[in-house]
Structures are given as C-alpha cells and as structure tokens.
Amino acid sequence: MTITLEEQSHLKDILKQIVLNPGSLTPAHVVGGIRSIVRGEASDAQIGGFLITLKLRKIDSDPEMVVALAREGLRGAIVPDIGLSGKAREDIGMIVDIIGTGGDGWNTFNVSTTSSLIAAAAGLTVAKHGSRAFSSNCGSADLLEGMGCNLKAVMPSHVGKFLREHRYCFILANNFHPSIHYVNRMWSELGFPTPFKVLGPMTNPVVPDRALIGVNSKALGPVMAEALRIMGRRNYAVVCGDENLDEISIAGDTHVWHIQESGEIRNYTIHPCDFGVPAHPLSEVAGATLEENKATLHRLLSNELEDRDIAVRDFVLINAGFLLYVAGAASSMEEGASIARETLESGKAKVLLENFIKATYELPDL
C-alpha cells in the first residue's frame, strides 16, 4: 500500500516510500523530509540516507525539485527586517549578491568574497551570503574572519544598519538559518556534494534584487536559472566556467544563463577578452591555506601585487566586473572590469573592509 504524504510525518517513512517505490519522489517528499530533519526527529543514519537518495535521484536536474528545496530553505530562515518593498527597502536601494555553489573541486582563491568587497566599494549595496568551508580549504566566512571580522556577532537585526552605513553585510548562513546545523556535519562526513549545494545561492534571506551565481556543473546552469525564474528572480546571472568552475573562468569560456527582466533566460558565452583581460591557467589562481589566502587578499587590497598575484587580480576583476554589469552599474563587461580595477587600485575596497571589520565589534543591542 502506498503511504500518503500526510502519514509520512517522520523521515523514516518518507525514505521507505521513495526507496521502495522508485520514481515516486515528488517535491512534497523533499519538503516533508526537510521538515522532519528540522524538527530534530531524524537520526544521523536517516539524514545521511535521505541526502544520498536525493543525490542518486538527481533531484538537482529538476527545476521544480530545486524550487521546493529553496523555498523550504527560505521558509526556515530568519529574514532581516529591511522590507521587500516600500520605504525600508528604498532607504537601502538595490541589493546584490555574488555566490557559488562550491564543490567544483578546483579550490580556487576566494574570488566571490573579494569581488563582493570591490563591488560594494564601487557603489553597489552587497548582502554577501556565505559560510565556512565545506569543499575547499578556505571558505568565504573563514577568510573574512581570518581578516578580523566578527561575523558570528552579525545578526538579522543588524543587517539594515550595515547595508545603510557600509553598503556591505556578510550574511553568515549559521546565523540566519537555524536549521542548518542538522545537516552541516552530514555534508562534511559524506565527502561529496549533495543536492543541498544549490541552497546557498538561492536562500539568501535578504532576497537580493540582482545576483551573480556560480554553479559547479554546466548541466546545473539551466536548471538553476529556471528554478530562479520560477521563484520570480529577475536580473540574475547563473554562470559556469567551461571547466565546471563555479565562477567566471579566467582560463577561457564561461557559460551564462541570464534571467532578463521579462523572465526570458538568455544563454551566452563570455571570455576574459570580453573584459579586456588576458586569460590565465587555473593553476595560477589556485587557493591555498587560510594564512596564504589572507596574505593574497591583503596584497590585492593594498595594491602591493607580486608577479604571482596578477592572475588572481584579473580573476577578481572579471567576476567583480560582471557583477557590476549585471547590476546595471556598467554598460559593458569591459567597463565593469575597468570600474573594478579603479576601485581596487584606489584603496576603496581596503577601506571598506577595514570599516566593516571595526563595525562588527561595535554592534548595538538591537
């Protein structure tokens, strides 16, 4: 007898249904499983089994499944009180994000984090969603905390103040998604990316107006773009380097799925030459330890580049430049990279980070 979803209040029952009845998996099963996990009633074995089952069922190849995951992730998030419209949002203006799924295996330098600082220093308002490392040596939060940021103190009630006063706020996933701890350990112990990897880019509780999202598979690109379109996101660009890199590649072509204001998804390919920047091998932009990445970021922001930093700088310029282009702050990709370079060399990004670090230790009790 088929078990109805209403009876599947426990993850164990949902697992039994979808394992014994291949092909029966629906978005409702995914939502029910997540809710069972969040209620704290599922064992580690059941959570692991659920993640593996979702992986084997390839639910990240189905936009409707991805939407179900994302909406449930947002449902459990703590949403900052900055408004989705009206005066609160008007005071802040257009908000952007730049984030990748991770899990591409390339372990490149923290380009999205660095690009987010440059974009904010160039005039955009950035709510950077991120976390500590799962699939790399140094995650976005690891790097910023290593530079001195007190990220664990930045709570939802502080976001509006940061965005208004600094045009920058880091949205640490652990502080805004209370349920994340139920699956964090499972992700690291399983040792492979699960379909939950799509959640980070799609569940920023600020709900940015525009975003640059990197995915670690060219097959995931159109799926992610369609899922975002279904969720009503517009002026978002999903990108994947030809090497299945979850950033705009400095080594060659990058595939883009650009959601237009009309809802149309425009697919095209870009290259470093479109930004007026030379290509470099990915080996020249590899990430390293936290201490080495901190040193690289310091040299970049201080405009004290060594020869080994040129490729990393160009890697950052094309990603920051494309975010500026997507956000409408540049009329072309080349102009975006030029604005990013001027901002970096002026020292504005360094000042922004220094001010952000200081502000994370001076938070009011809101």
Side-chain angles (χ1 to χ4, degrees), residues 114-145:
T114 309
S115 297
S116 72
L117 296 169
I118 294 171
L124 297 182
T125 300
V126 181
K128 173 76 176 84
H129 198 211
S131 62
R132 299 183 179 91
F134 281 106
S135 57
S136 64
N137 293 336
C138 177
S140 55
D142 300 308
L143 180 61
L144 290 179
E145 288 178 329

Side-chain angles (χ1 to χ4, degrees), residues 38-352:
V38 170
R39 287 195 297 268
E41 63 191 23
S43 69
D44 286 354
Q46 290 161 354
I47 296 172
F50 183 61
L51 295 178
I52 292 170
T53 300
L54 297 185
K55 175 72 171 179
L56 294 177
R57 292 288 191 274
K58 298 181 179 179
I59 70 162
D60 52 2
S61 65
D62 182 342
E64 293 289 348
M65 290 288 193
V66 173
V67 169
L69 274 176
R71 285 179 171 160
E72 193 59 24
L74 283 170
R75 175 181 174 272
I78 302 173
V79 179
D81 186 20
I82 59 171
L84 295 178
S85 61
K87 184 171 177 55
R89 194 76 168 204
E90 288 174 6
D91 288 347
I92 295 171
M94 181 180 66
I95 299 173
V96 305
D97 190 11
I98 176 170
I99 183 173
T101 58
D104 60 16
W106 286 102
N107 196 34
T108 53
F109 175 74
N110 304 87
V111 64
S112 293
T113 309
T114 309
S115 297
S116 72
L117 296 169
I118 294 171
L124 297 182
T125 300
V126 181
K128 173 76 176 84
H129 198 211
S131 62
R132 299 183 179 91
F134 281 106
S135 57
S136 64
N137 293 336
C138 177
S140 55
D142 300 308
L143 180 61
L144 290 179
E145 288 178 329
M147 297 297 290
C149 298
N150 186 20
L151 297 183
K152 65 180 183 296
V154 180
M155 295 297 165
S157 57
H158 300 127
V159 173
K161 177 179 174 63
F162 274 106
L163 295 180
R164 290 184 182 93
E165 296 181 5
H166 301 281
R167 293 197 308 273
Y168 189 85
C169 187
F170 190 88
I171 310 296
L172 181 63
N174 294 64
N175 287 358
F176 293 76
H177 299 277
S179 60
I180 199 170
H181 70 275
Y182 288 109
V183 292
N184 270 353
R185 186 164 57 85
M186 285 292 121
W187 285 345
S188 58
E189 288 184 356
L190 285 173
F192 57 81
T194 75
F196 279 63
K197 67 181 180 292
V198 303
L199 287 180
M202 300 184 75
T203 57
N204 185 333
V206 170
V207 188
D209 301 289
R210 302 191 180 197
L212 173 55
I213 294 175
V215 295
N216 63 2
S217 162
K218 292 187 287 293
L220 181 56
V223 177
M224 174 76 85
E226 175 62 14
L228 288 164
R229 188 197 66 79
I230 293 171
M231 294 177 70
R233 309 295 173 85
R234 298 295 182 266
N235 302 302
Y236 275 48
V238 178
V239 300
C240 182
D242 204 45
E243 315 85 354
N244 285 327
L245 179 74
D246 71 332
E247 316 279 2
I248 297 174
S249 177
I250 191 61
D253 288 342
T254 293
H255 304 269
V256 182
W257 296 265
H258 197 158
I259 309 170
Q260 307 297 295
E261 184 65 36
S262 65
E264 175 192 0
I265 299 174
R266 189 162 68 94
N267 181 215
Y268 54 95
T269 303
I270 59 179
H271 187 276
C273 66
D274 295 318
F275 298 85
V277 168
H280 303 272
L282 285 185
S283 59
E284 294 183 10
V285 296
T289 64
L290 171 58
E291 291 303 317
E292 290 171 311
N293 284 6
K294 283 169 51 182
T296 299
L297 179 58
H298 176 77
R299 292 193 300 273
L300 287 172
L301 298 183
S302 301
N303 201 27
E304 299 173 351
L305 302 184
E306 300 176 359
D307 289 345
R308 58 178 170 160
D309 299 320
I310 300 303
V312 174
R313 180 205 61 193
D314 290 348
F315 189 27
V316 170
L317 293 182
I318 64 175
N319 280 272
F322 197 64
L323 178 59
L324 288 161
Y325 172 66
V326 168
S331 60
S332 68
M333 288 176 271
E334 187 166 3
E335 183 185 18
S338 177
I339 293 171
R341 182 165 187 162
E342 291 171 6
T343 302
L344 183 62
E345 293 179 349
S346 72
K348 291 179 182 177
K350 181 181 180 182
V351 171
L352 182 137

